Amino acid sequence: MTLSTEPITINMGPQHPSTHGVFRMRVTFDGEVIIDMEPVFGYLHRGIEKLAEHKTYIQDIPFTDRLDYLASMSSNFAYVLAVEKLAGIEVPERAEYIRVIMAELMRIASHLMGVGFFLNDMGAFMTPVLYMFREREKILDLFEMVCGQRLTYNYMRFGGVSHDIPGEFIPALKRFIDEMPGFIDEYDQLLAENEIVLARAKGVGILPADKAINASVAGPVLRGSGVKWDLRKADPYSIYDRFDFDIPTGTNGDNYDRYRVKIEEMRQSVCIIEQAMEQLPQGEVRTKVPLQLKPPKGEAYCHIEGPKGELGFYLVSDGSAKPYRFKVRAPALINLTVLRDMIVGWKLADAIITFGSIDICMGEVDR
Amino acid sequence: MTKQLSGPEVAQQIGDQFPDAVTGSDETAVFVRSEALLGVARFIKESLNLDYLNSITAVDYIDHFELVYHLTSLENNHGIILKTKCHDRENPIVPSVVSLWQGADFQEREIYDLMGISFEGHPNMKRIFLWDGFQGHPLRKDFHLDVPGGGKASL
């Protein structure tokens, strides 16, 4: 007796413990196997690009905090670089080093969160998350020392940073940097060769390199597929060309590779911060720039290697104090282009983990 | 450092293949006619090895829309900006480059949603952030934030 079957479409999200923000997927199943997936965005759309056209350039810096709220420093950084390129503003040396230290600390914090929740989705209920949050708390304490904020920093300004780092920052940072490699080893000790992690992440959610490039994927997702492309090396911005660091890449482009790339990137970030701390000069931290900055007419596209990928700002100026066009190149949205192809043919549990391995932040996707 | 290719040089190369396509160039960008966009994009993707589409942006310059394509070659580490103008305000249509770069998928849907420019050849041309029944295209300069629905507040 043959059983007649038909595909069923199930809605996942926008509220779901595993959807990393308000992300909705309409998944079509044939039994347990996924045959189609349609992502639905827009639950966190706040119209930031439109609002930014109504505020002055400096008033737009807090908007950038709220794009990828787990990596605010990076979004600030990309935006101020774009405005500095547009307006031709110089940045003092000390400010450049402070910015790099902040950006790399932010990368570590973002990856800790990303990896922690990736493992959480796999069923290691909260333990890896809380181990990693223990370190993330130290990073957030460092940020609080500098700018008074734990999540949305609003720290970078055109021509530098808003305040100089206080006296107690460098000793605290040194303590953190000295103990961090030990903690990363601790995470690896329990998880890197863990049977469940290997079974659920190795060979699952494979993204071939040519497909990744064609889909404009960036960041750890691209490097996990074996493409050695990191904007800090390929198109160095700020003072990244003065530091010596590696770019970890994966081989197969599966979830496990993306996870390993993030862990290795954390080690490399520790290395960069060490070098930046040694080379940190004395001096000014901010070039004097008018509050109502009026950049000359023109446009500028500036991209940085954010924790999630290529974070870019395309600004068009019409000579007035407000941007004419404020466009954010959001890595999380573009990385999601490949999600459908990565999960078709797999089961739902694999889909959740693959989605977690891409590590997105809905604030950036929806803007 | 990613080398920004010179606009006039690339315009020359495109002009040799597609005589009427180029409408202008500046230091870093090449302007092409929107009808010729897909052919030109395919040509420069192959000849300059531009396998990576960084971003597509649409800007509303009141009398026309401008689409800006930032393209990079990962292997050669060079890039170029391709621009096209669209003068129709009621029903702007531009060819889609999804067949060349899959990364254009969500970006083109976003431009349709927020600017109202349709992309011919896109497999799923519908709104992405705003709900299906939404009227208007918010990023346009004539969509005001005074009252809900995009109108201007009256005295």
Side-chain angles (χ1 to χ4, degrees):
Chain A
M1 184 184 93
T2 52
L3 215 55
S4 74
T5 62
E6 58 182 59
I8 182 170
T9 305
I10 291 184
N11 183 57
M12 268 207 66
Q15 249 186 348
H16 187 285
S18 292
T19 55
H20 298 268
V22 278
F23 177 65
R24 181 175 160 209
M25 287 197 274
R26 302 181 67 236
V27 196
T28 308
F29 292 94
D30 176 17
E32 278 255 11
V33 175
I34 297 176
I35 55 175
D36 195 9
M37 187 280 281
E38 188 197 330
V40 181
F41 306 110
Y43 289 92
L44 199 49
H45 180 67
R46 295 155 288 179
I48 286 186
E49 294 190 357
K50 179 81 176 179
L51 286 173
E53 292 172 11
H54 294 253
K55 304 251 177 252
T56 62
Y57 285 91
I58 199 162
Q59 287 175 320
D60 286 334
I61 301 181
F63 280 140
T64 62
D65 283 332
R66 285 144 177 87
L67 290 169
D68 180 358
Y69 39 78
L70 300 170
S72 299
M73 286 286 188
S74 302
S75 313
N76 278 143
F77 197 7
Y79 177 60
V80 299
L81 281 176
V83 175
E84 284 162 8
K85 188 170 168 184
L86 195 58
I89 302 172
E90 294 280 316
V91 180
E93 283 288 298
R94 187 172 168 84
E96 296 267 34
Y97 279 94
I98 294 177
R99 281 181 177 182
V100 168
I101 293 176
M102 296 302 160
E104 292 306 313
L105 278 174
M106 196 78 252
R107 189 183 314 273
I108 300 176
S110 177
H111 282 333
L112 282 170
M113 183 114 180
V115 171
F117 281 99
F118 168 66
L119 294 162
N120 192 34
D121 287 345
M122 261 196 245
F125 185 65
M126 288 321 246
T127 306
V129 174
L130 292 174
Y131 268 66
M132 295 184 186
F133 266 42
R134 186 187 54 190
E135 268 58 71
R136 185 168 173 266
E137 277 304 301
K138 294 173 192 159
I139 298 179
L140 297 189
D141 284 343
L142 287 169
F143 285 143
E144 195 182 358
M145 223 186 270
V146 170
C147 60
Q149 282 280 4
R150 282 166 49 92
L151 197 70
T152 51
Y153 310 110
N154 190 18
Y155 181 56
M156 313 233 178
R157 297 282 183 274
F158 313 132
V161 292
S162 70
H163 298 90
D164 199 353
I165 52 181
E168 57 269 22
F169 182 80
I170 292 289
L173 182 63
K174 187 146 187 9
R175 266 198 307 277
F176 175 74
I177 291 300
D178 287 339
E179 50 184 36
M180 190 61 184
F183 285 126
I184 302 179
D185 290 335
E186 189 183 39
Y187 310 144
D188 277 348
Q189 203 175 15
L190 286 171
L191 297 163
E193 299 295 318
N194 182 296
E195 221 181 298
I196 299 180
V197 172
L198 288 175
R200 292 202 70 182
K202 243 195 188 330
V204 179
I206 295 182
L207 180 65
D210 53 349
K211 197 169 182 52
I213 297 174
N214 190 254
S216 303
V217 160
V221 186
L222 183 65
R223 289 191 283 280
S225 294
V227 181
K228 207 173 172 98
W229 177 258
D230 184 323
L231 288 172
R232 294 173 292 173
K233 290 267 191 197
D235 195 8
Y237 50 94
S238 184
I239 47 166
Y240 273 100
D241 44 3
R242 298 187 201 173
F243 302 115
D244 187 23
F245 59 99
D246 284 328
I247 306 170
T249 51
T251 40
N252 304 319
D254 56 17
N255 293 338
Y256 190 73
D257 279 342
R258 290 188 277 276
Y259 155 61
R260 292 311 307 161
V261 163
K262 291 193 187 99
I263 297 277
E264 291 307 312
E265 278 188 6
M266 284 200 269
R267 287 188 213 273
Q268 295 304 317
S269 287
V270 169
C271 197
I272 297 176
I273 298 176
E274 251 172 0
Q275 294 171 49
M277 266 196 330
E278 275 167 43
Q279 299 174 23
L280 182 65
Q282 295 299 317
E284 291 283 301
V285 290
R286 191 174 175 185
T287 315
K288 196 125 180 60
V289 162
L291 203 60
Q292 294 256 327
L293 178 70
K294 294 196 170 89
K297 268 197 188 181
E299 62 183 50
Y301 177 69
C302 209
H303 53 189
I304 68 159
E305 185 68 34
K308 310 214 157 44
E310 175 182 338
L311 174 58
F313 278 84
Y314 177 72
L315 296 171
V316 176
S317 160
D318 59 351
S320 74
K322 302 182 182 178
Y324 189 80
R325 178 77 169 98
F326 177 100
K327 146 93 182 182
V328 183
R329 190 256 187 223
L333 174 67
I334 299 174
N335 287 357
L336 283 177
T337 314
V338 284
L339 180 62
R340 185 189 173 278
D341 297 322
M342 285 206 272
I343 65 174
V344 164
W346 295 90
K347 301 201 171 54
L348 183 61
D350 304 317
I352 305 281
I353 296 185
T354 308
F355 177 66
S357 78
I358 300 182
D359 187 23
I360 61 156
C361 178
M362 287 317 281
E364 197 170 52
V365 172
D366 287 339
R367 270 159 287 140
Chain B
M1 204 66 185
T2 302
K3 179 172 178 291
Q4 290 302 319
L5 297 172
S6 140
E9 271 174 39
V10 178
Q12 181 81 33
Q13 286 179 30
I14 299 174
D16 292 338
Q17 280 289 113
F18 299 89
D20 297 318
V22 179
T23 57
S25 69
D26 65 27
E27 228 174 86
T28 48
V30 184
F31 289 79
V32 295
R33 248 175 252 293
S34 60
E35 304 85 40
L37 179 67
L38 190 56
V40 169
R42 187 176 294 120
F43 169 65
I44 57 174
K45 183 184 177 198
E46 280 157 33
S47 68
L48 295 170
N49 202 12
L50 295 166
D51 49 0
Y52 194 81
L53 171 71
N54 293 72
S55 91
I56 311 179
T57 312
V59 192
D60 183 0
Y61 285 113
I62 321 265
D63 60 342
H64 67 271
F65 290 113
E66 192 171 280
L67 281 163
V68 185
Y69 296 77
H70 286 87
L71 300 160
T72 307
S73 164
L74 299 194
E75 208 182 301
N76 311 60
N77 202 5
H78 61 222
I80 191 68
I81 303 176
L82 190 63
K83 291 191 184 182
T84 183
K85 292 191 185 172
C86 184
H87 296 268
D88 188 353
R89 197 126 182 124
E90 292 304 309
N91 193 19
I93 301 182
V94 171
S96 164
V97 296
V98 159
S99 52
L100 298 173
W101 297 286
Q102 199 199 350
D105 192 348
F106 291 158
Q107 301 190 73
E108 287 183 348
R109 276 181 69 186
E110 181 187 341
I111 294 174
Y112 168 65
D113 191 5
L114 301 176
M115 278 284 193
I117 303 174
S118 289
F119 288 87
E120 198 182 344
H122 191 284
N124 192 15
M125 190 86 274
K126 45 180 220 207
R127 287 188 182 268
I128 188 170
F129 295 137
L130 298 168
W131 57 96
D132 286 323
F134 191 89
Q135 296 296 318
H137 299 282
L139 268 181
R140 288 192 177 188
K141 291 290 177 184
D142 49 15
F143 189 100
H144 300 287
L145 295 181
D146 298 2
V147 294
K152 244 191 157 347
S154 52
L155 276 161

